[in-house]
Amino acid sequence: MKKIKLSSHWPIADIRDNIVFAGNGNVVLCYQLGLPEIYSLSEKDFEDLHTTWFQAIKSLPIGTVVHKQDIYEKKAFTANGLPDKTFLEKATHNYFKDREYMAHRCLLFFTLTGNKAFHNPKYVNPFRKASKGIIRELDTNLQSFISSVSDCISFIANSRKVSIKPLIPAEITALTTEYFNGFNEGFDTDILLEKEHIQTGNHYFDALAINSELCFGERVQTSKTNERFTSDDFVFHQGFIDGLGLTLNENHIVNQILYLDDKHKWRKLLDKKVEELSKSSNFGSQNRVILGKIQDILEKINGDDNARIIRGHLNVVFWDREPGNLERIASKIKAEFKELDIIPYAPRGEQRKNYLLNSYCCFSSNFSDEDLYVTDLKHALCLFINNSNYKTDPTGIIFNDREHNIPVLKDVWDEGKKRIKARNFAIFAPTGEGKSFLANNILRQYFENGVRLVIIDLGGSYTKFAKLYPEQYTVLRYESGKSLGINPFYISNPGDVNPERLEDLSVFLLELFASDLKVGKAQSVAIKKILRYYYKNTTENYSLDSFYRFIEQRKDQLLEHLKIHPDYFNITSFLHVLSEYVGDGLYSFLFEASEDQTYKIEDKRLIVFELDEVKDNKEILSVMLKLIKSAIQRTIWKNRAEKGIILFDEFAKQLKFENVLESVEFYYQAIRKQNGAIGIILQSINQLPNNSTSASILENTQVIYSLNNEKGYGELVKRLNLSSHDLNQLKSIKNNLSGLRKYTEMFIKIGKESNIFRLEVPPEVYAAYLTDGTENEAIMAIYHKTKNMEKAIKEFIRQS
């Protein structure tokens, strides 16, 4: 057969759900696997996956063919999943569109054959129709087979590392067409089977295979050292044959085919073979090598009750538009095999055609004894590839994968709480490593997805990106001796005085009055009674000053009138402490607001409190945080259905003051009732005091970002209970700040899942996030002329 036209040789007789009834009499159950992300697995993870595969496959019936097929294709990134509405979204979409990457699909097939002995002749015409006709009904034998495969699939799915789903008929049909159409797109073609090469449309094909025990070196294992990321002080692992997977970076398919044989039959055959070879081992070194290998296999069978003898075949089919490139690709594959101490076989002529055709799922039972190696199932499973591309979520924040620098969406909000119970996050990185840049990237995308942002900032890092949304942001900046314009007592109508409002106000007053003391329930009840009485008897100009005067004027009869025991509320002490905040008190300016200004923030979705001038004054900062908390409760948290994030930037400077930590802990407790998250940014986790309050904050922080830290990650690992592989990932972080594709790498842990991601952005986004330096000054100079940040960024890029 020199030419195959698929329409004339359609290999499938019928498909029901994911069950293929092939024209040659085989019945094939078809599945697609979702494998863990590349670089996310530790040495133990590889061992665990190997165990999972062994436990799942070992009990399948004698005569089953298991075919795992990993298809890798060079593709152009479509960017269809990326948002494309705002200025920065469009810039990101256009920047990454058409970037080349390797697409990967992992398929798993289980074949029930009519020939359980697998004694195939050297060449079988795969398109020859079965003489006994096709099994059309689910007979007892087939039902039993389906049940066994179903148990196997359930076991794999329960591993949690691997997801698995049945293929649907349309997917099976498309795969068949694609395979025999040589992965050409846009047209149908025929397979030309020449002695020199195999050509399908624009693609030329070749193959390399492991088809004998002699191909293997001394040993195989579940994983090996990843030389690219391993350093002197840590070892990074990859799967044993991962070098033949994504990182090969060529169009290819890895086919791993297992024939599950009868252990007892093989024991007898091998015993007989050993006897024959023992007699002839003196006639050549090759015979002695074969004898040694067969004796090893026999020892495994006899010494391990769980041993499952299989015959296996592994091949790598590869293709390219230029026939001259096939030799280059073959060299790359041979180099990978050499690293593993494996010598592949290069099929030619009829054999190459045979390997290519029989690597299609319906034909993988056609290999003869000469194409198969004999080994134990555990040995063969070391040759499984157990990882894939980074997984992209349906929605989320855009980061970049580590392999191709293409965008992946990571759902760090997790609406359904499948990965995390609390969506609070923390960013750790020393000065100069890009903390604010990363925070800008995360917050900007949240904002454009409809999340309301409140940023409490001591460094002025967010004003520039805010200016891209002129109608939607406000910056409340503290200036010495001036109020922020937040009046916690302000109400627009009497209906505002509800239990929640009184509760919030009482907390605010008691924190102001007794910030260093433990406040009891009795005090809380007393202050709420007084507040209620105040609002009933005051008609206008509600403020702290007004409330203070109200109590001062009634101090002699107030407690008696409200039936409050003096032990529960000390009026003299209260008036003394609060005198500092009213009249001519030292900090009275903080509350000088005849009218509440929080209406300014009610309709804003991006609110920045800039407290740079106050960062060294414990008292003012403490009061400011209380005022901000009051404003947040009355405006942002009014609508619990609305998503919101509160970010504390330069958090370490705020933490110098003991009561700040407790104030922030309040947010962590309160945010649970809201549809929101808290974010903190620290140079080092050591800046969080090692106490119960910090422990509570860290416990409720389930999304961790860490950038490069040359001082190491010991404390981060200790305080966050990170795994040894998390530490290896952290140590493997490498930034690339030169060349065409500049990026920083970061460790992201979402619940229990972790990996290294990259942050690469287009020039427009880079310009929007800059917070200092000459480039930032140049952009701001243009902005002051144009009063339009988008125009300023475009002009800056045009001039660069």
Side-chain angles (χ1 to χ4, degrees), residues 447-592:
F447 175 75
E448 292 183 339
N449 285 332
V451 178
R452 200 167 188 180
L453 303 180
V454 179
I455 301 168
I456 300 161
D457 182 23
L458 270 64
S461 302
Y462 303 91
T463 315
K464 186 136 100 338
F465 115 69
K467 289 184 192 305
L468 281 165
Y469 316 95
E471 303 300 316
Q472 299 181 65
Y473 86 95
T474 187
V475 176
L476 296 174
R477 186 178 288 108
Y478 170 76
E479 293 175 57
S480 184
K482 293 184 182 177
S483 159
L484 265 186
I486 298 171
N487 179 0
F489 289 82
Y490 178 80
I491 58 166
S492 52
N493 65 73
D496 285 349
V497 187
N498 53 33
E500 287 82 12
R501 185 64 183 275
L502 290 173
E503 198 72 57
D504 291 344
L505 260 180
S506 70
V507 170
F508 172 76
L509 281 167
L510 287 166
E511 282 185 351
L512 209 57
F513 167 49
S515 59
D516 300 325
L517 304 173
K518 185 79 176 166
V519 176
K521 176 77 174 170
Q523 279 177 292
S524 176
V525 171
I527 203 90
K528 278 182 279 187
K529 279 188 174 182
I530 296 167
L531 280 164
R532 199 173 174 197
Y533 185 57
Y534 162 73
Y535 279 110
K536 274 187 179 176
N537 292 278
T538 309
T539 55
E540 60 183 358
N541 296 332
Y542 306 104
S543 67
L544 179 63
D545 193 84
S546 159
F547 182 65
Y548 183 90
R549 305 293 165 215
F550 181 84
I551 294 176
E552 191 177 41
Q553 288 161 14
R554 294 165 176 76
K555 62 184 176 186
D556 296 331
Q557 71 276 7
L558 182 67
L559 296 183
E560 190 179 336
H561 179 77
L562 293 175
K563 296 185 172 57
I564 298 170
H565 195 280
D567 288 352
Y568 299 148
F569 190 75
N570 187 327
I571 285 186
T572 308
S573 177
F574 182 82
L575 292 173
H576 172 65
V577 172
L578 263 66
S579 66
E580 226 178 5
Y581 305 110
V582 298
D584 59 357
L586 185 61
Y587 299 114
S588 60
F589 65 86
L590 292 171
F591 294 93
E592 277 175 5

Side-chain angles (χ1 to χ4, degrees), residues 164-181:
I164 193 160
K165 72 176 187 71
L167 291 179
I168 59 172
E171 289 172 324
I172 295 165
T173 302
L175 174 70
T176 303
T177 304
E178 202 177 13
Y179 191 87
F180 290 107
N181 204 46

Side-chain angles (χ1 to χ4, degrees), residues 177-219:
T177 304
E178 202 177 13
Y179 191 87
F180 290 107
N181 204 46
F183 298 92
N184 288 281
E185 291 180 0
F187 60 90
D188 288 337
T189 187
D190 303 327
I191 302 176
L192 300 175
L193 302 164
E194 305 292 342
K195 278 195 173 179
E196 296 78 29
H197 57 250
I198 296 171
Q199 183 183 358
T200 309
N202 294 331
H203 295 155
Y204 293 84
F205 285 78
D206 205 345
L208 286 164
I210 300 173
N211 63 348
S212 157
E213 307 86 65
L214 293 173
C215 294
F216 293 104
E218 284 300 308
R219 57 181 302 208

Side-chain angles (χ1 to χ4, degrees), residues 10 181 248 289 397 451 523 541 558 572 583 621 632 657 671 684 755:
W10 188 248
N181 204 46
L248 190 65
V289 170
I397 303 298
V451 178
Q523 279 177 292
N541 296 332
L558 182 67
T572 308
L621 180 61
I632 289 168
F657 313 124
I671 205 84
S684 162
N755 211 339

Side-chain angles (χ1 to χ4, degrees), residues 29 31 52-67 108-112 116 118 144-156 258-263 306-310 377 381 384:
L29 275 63
Y31 297 87
T52 297
W53 281 115
F54 178 72
Q55 295 294 343
I57 291 173
K58 72 172 185 179
S59 301
L60 287 170
I62 291 166
T64 304
V65 178
V66 179
H67 180 182
L108 188 63
F109 307 104
F110 299 89
T111 302
L112 173 67
K116 284 197 179 182
F118 296 132
S144 171
F145 177 72
I146 291 169
S147 176
S148 296
V149 170
S150 180
D151 290 344
C152 170
I153 294 303
S154 297
F155 196 92
I156 295 166
L258 310 177
Y259 289 24
L260 302 186
D261 283 322
D262 183 345
K263 173 175 170 177
N306 283 323
R308 179 75 197 256
I309 292 304
I310 61 105
L377 177 60
L381 292 174
F384 267 24

Side-chain angles (χ1 to χ4, degrees), residues 54 210-214 216-220 256-263 266 270 293-294 296-298 300-301 306-314 372-383:
F54 178 72
I210 300 173
N211 63 348
S212 157
E213 307 86 65
L214 293 173
F216 293 104
E218 284 300 308
R219 57 181 302 208
V220 297
Q256 169 74 312
I257 299 160
L258 310 177
Y259 289 24
L260 302 186
D261 283 322
D262 183 345
K263 173 175 170 177
W266 270 99
L270 290 170
K293 294 207 172 192
I294 292 174
D296 283 346
I297 294 165
L298 262 174
K300 280 180 189 166
I301 299 172
N306 283 323
R308 179 75 197 256
I309 292 304
I310 61 105
R311 278 176 298 159
H313 174 90
L314 184 143
L372 302 165
Y373 59 82
V374 181
T375 190
D376 173 54
L377 177 60
K378 285 180 181 174
H379 178 285
L381 292 174
C382 290
L383 306 183

